[in-house]
Amino acid sequence: MALSPPFPGDAHAAYGTLTPIYRPMAQQQAQERNAISPRRAENFPEWYQAVVTAADLAENSDVRGCMVIKPWGYAIWELIQQQLDKKFKDTGHSNAYFPLFIPLSYLEKEAEHVAGFAKECAVVTHHRLEVGPDGKLRAASPLTEPLIVRPTSETIIGESYSRWVQSYRDLPILLNQWANVVRWEMRPRLFLRTAEFLWQEGHTAHETEQEAREETERMLGVYHEMMRYHLALDVVTGRKTASERFAGAVDTYCLEAMVQDRKAVQAGTSHFLGQNFAKASNIQYLSREGVKQHAWTTSWGVSTRLIGTLIMAHSDDDGLVLPPRVAPKHIVIIPVTPKEDTKAAVLEACDKLAERLRAQSFHGEAIRVQVDTREVTGGSKAWDWIKKGVPLRVEIGPRDIAGSAAMVARRDRPHKSRDLIAWDQLVADAPTILEDIQSTLLARNQAFRKENMVPMDDKDSFYKFFTPRNSGRPEIHGGFALAHWCGCPDVEEQIRKDLSVTIRCIPDDPAIAAEPGMCIFSGKESAQRVVFAKSY
RNA sequence: CGGAGUGUAGCUUAGCUUGGUAGAGCGCCUGGUUUGGGACCAGGAGGCCGCAGGUUCAAAUCCUGUCACUCCGACCA
């Protein structure tokens, strides 16, 4: 097998013929059977659900909006956690834990914050159960002050900070917590929008505005790097408009990923909170000049939504496709044991190869290898791992033992393409192949994003861009529209009403949108283009 | 919270208009034959047809109520 060079300068160029992400139905080979039904092009939302089920990532709970994250899905989250946690520590942060329950009165302290979250809070009003006259359990003993289940923790952490901070010498405070939060969602969707979700929330307090702004940008950068190099997502970063800003923030920065139906997913946020929460929570310090000052705070977070983004960005009509750096297993070895008398030899060869592969490292960690010894036929084993998105599948049968070779299949290539590779070569090349899969996925996401991020210079084409031809069952359409906007919230609101399209961000990359122009809706002046898109 | 729809086995569902012993596929269990890309044959387990009332000799089927879920809007990481 000819291997592509590791880390090609332009990975996209190394793959002149990319596997098309969508193929028109007419070109689909009729006899070709996919693992996932429907296909992406047929019904994207249903395809997404089918991938989650087929890859055994999660399932819905009886509690509406809540999900059970199954081992394979949780392992992906753990890998994301590990990578991020290291980065947080490297940038000077420590982990801590703050309570799940927040007194109602805390939330009331910041007016915009209340307005933003009040409609989606779970409220705890009682603290015991008793048996009612009908024999059923009912809530008893009302709380004097109701508690809310945290939708985010700015207020309760601010309460602590107000006690911890006395002097400029107490600053900065750089904390993070890994936690669950609850936002009572009307329309849940596994991983993307659930009533309860797992996330991390960083909360920092600083002496100066500049320090806090630097922190906000630093953490945006940490997220950017993680999404690009671990999740293989070519995200667009930028600032939110006033209407999309975090409730109570001065500035919200975000990372917007484009997934395969060309919609945007907000994959992470970093907020500069100014002194708003410091004033609300009374976080004050005595400055170097002996003057009482409010601290400057930030908060930043990513959630299990990243997994949903990952699925929608990379997976195909055969199921999940995982970038190796977040794959719970890098390689699965499937013993092909057609006859009893050769079975032991095959299994032994598989175990030996697994050991040799485990001794290799990929990004400073031992390669994660599993030998699938389940008592089912080889074909269904292979399909299971295709659906689970394992980057490399290795099959060893009796005939391969003589030649010390194995059939190797890459998940980023069509499921029928397999190569016979000698064990020695596979062991030596495994890290390179994994790296190549990683960069191929990034290159594909980047090519797709570039292809579907288009400048729009008049209102008509803008509306046409976001209007499906088939309104009954909308086909995949639209993308990221780069258009000039005058900054007027009314214009933004009108577009949202007309097309369900919002400004995802004001991009910070001058290569994307620096030049001034004229708002295509109002004709007024505009300093730069902004990104419009439909979103999750 | 508005509009539409659906509740039958672990999952997907047929049957409902015209009331008469609840059927299939997948999955699961057992045995056998198989095995280099989703095996086949035989046998088996599994259902108060969402729940409560009503009509009827008889209700998955008709009527009323209720609960849950899904989709489309409004809201959101």
Side-chain angles (χ1 to χ4, degrees):
Chain A
M1 181 169 88
L3 287 172
S4 300
F7 281 123
D10 181 353
H12 184 27
Y15 289 81
T17 51
L18 288 177
T19 304
I21 292 179
Y22 296 110
R23 262 174 299 174
M25 285 302 290
Q27 288 177 27
Q28 295 271 0
Q29 292 166 354
Q31 72 276 21
E32 193 175 309
R33 192 173 156 202
N34 290 105
I36 303 297
S37 170
R39 298 188 179 101
R40 285 164 292 184
E42 292 161 352
N43 187 332
F44 198 81
E46 276 188 31
W47 164 84
Y48 173 78
Q49 301 279 6
V51 172
V52 172
T53 306
D56 211 23
L57 296 173
E59 60 190 25
N60 273 310
S61 138
D62 281 344
V63 180
R64 182 183 155 78
C66 293
M67 64 176 167
V68 177
I69 305 178
K70 301 181 79 174
W72 193 250
Y74 198 78
I76 296 172
W77 179 238
E78 285 179 315
L79 288 166
I80 292 172
Q81 272 187 310
Q82 282 166 24
Q83 318 278 7
L84 277 177
D85 203 63
K86 183 171 185 310
K87 281 281 185 266
F88 295 160
K89 306 269 170 70
D90 287 350
T91 46
H93 303 83
S94 303
N95 284 332
Y97 188 79
F98 293 85
L100 172 67
F101 299 121
I102 301 178
L104 205 53
S105 57
Y106 283 22
L107 198 71
E108 287 167 342
K109 289 178 181 175
E110 216 290 330
E112 278 188 40
H113 197 61
V114 194
F117 286 106
K119 281 167 288 184
E120 51 187 33
C121 282
V123 186
V124 180
T125 54
H126 293 75
H127 68 88
R128 92 161 44 160
L129 293 171
E130 64 182 18
V131 180
D134 57 357
K136 289 186 176 162
L137 288 173
R138 64 181 185 190
S141 300
L143 296 172
T144 45
E145 184 184 4
L147 300 168
I148 61 164
V149 180
R150 63 180 164 223
T152 177
S153 303
E154 274 75 7
T155 58
I156 197 161
I157 291 179
E159 218 295 317
S160 289
Y161 284 10
S162 71
R163 285 180 290 105
W164 297 349
V165 175
Q166 313 281 324
S167 148
Y168 71 90
R169 293 194 177 89
D170 298 324
L171 296 171
I173 299 183
L174 306 172
L175 296 185
N176 174 65
Q177 80 168 345
W178 291 96
N180 58 338
V181 286
V182 169
R183 297 179 186 176
W184 213 259
E185 291 297 338
M186 287 308 180
R187 287 185 56 194
R189 212 134 135 41
L190 287 168
F191 290 115
L192 284 174
R193 206 188 297 106
T194 46
E196 179 192 14
F197 57 92
L198 305 184
W199 78 345
Q200 57 69 215
E201 46 180 327
H203 294 271
T204 69
H206 305 262
E207 188 181 348
T208 64
E209 169 170 7
Q210 191 194 339
E211 259 185 60
R213 284 197 176 275
E214 283 169 4
E215 168 77 3
T216 309
E217 286 178 30
R218 179 180 308 119
M219 300 323 285
L220 188 76
V222 165
Y223 291 151
H224 196 171
E225 192 195 331
M226 192 272 300
M227 289 176 196
R228 186 173 185 83
Y229 295 110
H230 294 275
L231 304 182
L233 297 170
D234 180 54
V235 296
V236 176
T237 60
R239 200 161 37 88
K240 285 291 190 189
T241 64
S243 67
E244 298 278 329
R245 205 180 280 153
F246 175 72
V250 173
D251 271 316
T252 287
Y253 297 85
C254 62
L255 304 100
E256 299 285 329
M258 185 190 285
V259 293
Q260 293 180 72
D261 63 353
R262 302 185 210 161
K263 287 189 185 174
V265 182
Q266 182 175 311
T269 49
S270 185
H271 313 292
F272 169 65
L273 303 173
Q275 293 176 305
N276 292 351
F277 284 88
K279 285 175 182 166
S281 300
N282 197 30
I283 308 171
Q284 292 197 78
Y285 66 93
L286 210 52
S287 74
R288 292 161 203 263
E289 294 78 31
V291 184
K292 265 210 165 177
Q293 302 272 346
H294 285 106
W296 300 81
T297 64
T298 80
S299 67
W300 26 274
V302 297
S303 70
T304 35
R305 168 178 262 202
L306 282 176
I307 297 174
T309 311
L310 195 67
I311 298 165
M312 291 202 295
H314 299 305
S315 299
D316 63 18
D317 295 335
D318 288 321
L320 188 62
V321 176
L322 284 170
R325 291 201 211 176
V326 289
K329 299 289 175 192
H330 292 127
I331 302 176
V332 62
I333 299 178
I334 301 172
V336 181
T337 54
K339 297 198 175 68
E340 275 304 314
D341 57 343
T342 52
K343 193 171 175 180
V346 169
L347 288 174
E348 195 193 337
C350 289
D351 283 335
K352 271 191 182 159
L353 181 62
E355 276 316 304
R356 292 181 67 192
L357 287 166
R358 287 187 189 113
Q360 297 290 89
S361 69
F362 175 63
H363 277 275
E365 286 170 44
I367 291 186
R368 299 183 282 269
V369 186
Q370 176 161 343
V371 180
D372 185 354
T373 54
R374 290 175 303 157
E375 291 287 327
V376 292
T377 58
S380 55
K381 276 186 200 176
W383 280 105
D384 280 351
W385 294 108
I386 291 172
K387 288 186 281 191
K388 280 173 169 288
V390 169
L392 273 182
R393 290 192 318 286
V394 175
E395 296 172 14
I396 298 181
R399 291 207 296 272
D400 302 322
I401 293 180
S404 297
M407 292 300 281
V408 178
R410 294 170 52 143
R411 188 60 184 86
D412 62 336
R413 295 183 178 169
H415 62 78
K416 277 183 183 155
S417 93
R418 292 185 293 175
D419 297 293
L420 191 67
I421 302 183
W423 296 341
D424 289 348
Q425 195 196 342
L426 179 61
V427 170
D429 290 346
T432 315
I433 301 172
L434 291 172
E435 197 59 68
D436 192 61
I437 295 173
Q438 182 80 34
S439 56
T440 298
L441 294 182
L442 175 61
R444 275 185 202 163
N445 185 250
Q446 183 170 347
F448 186 75
R449 198 267 295 164
K450 281 185 174 162
E451 190 181 322
N452 292 294
M453 185 160 83
V454 293
M456 284 288 156
D457 290 316
D458 66 281
K459 190 177 170 179
D460 278 356
S461 32
F462 184 94
Y463 272 65
K464 208 172 274 176
F465 186 64
F466 285 116
T467 306
R469 263 167 273 143
N470 181 356
S471 59
R473 266 191 65 185
E475 76 283 1
I476 289 169
H477 65 280
F480 284 11
L482 283 171
H484 281 288
W485 168 64
C486 56
C488 175
D490 294 345
V491 170
E492 197 183 1
E493 175 63 11
Q494 191 61 47
I495 296 163
R496 193 183 63 77
K497 277 190 180 159
D498 291 349
L499 299 167
S500 300
V501 166
T502 51
I503 297 175
R504 300 321 303 157
C505 73
I506 304 164
D508 53 20
D509 181 355
I512 292 180
E515 93 287 10
M518 269 187 7
C519 176
I520 63 170
F521 308 101
S522 68
K524 293 180 195 161
E525 281 180 18
S526 146
Q528 68 165 101
R529 291 175 190 266
V530 301
V531 175
F532 286 88
K534 295 188 181 178
S535 70
Y536 281 99

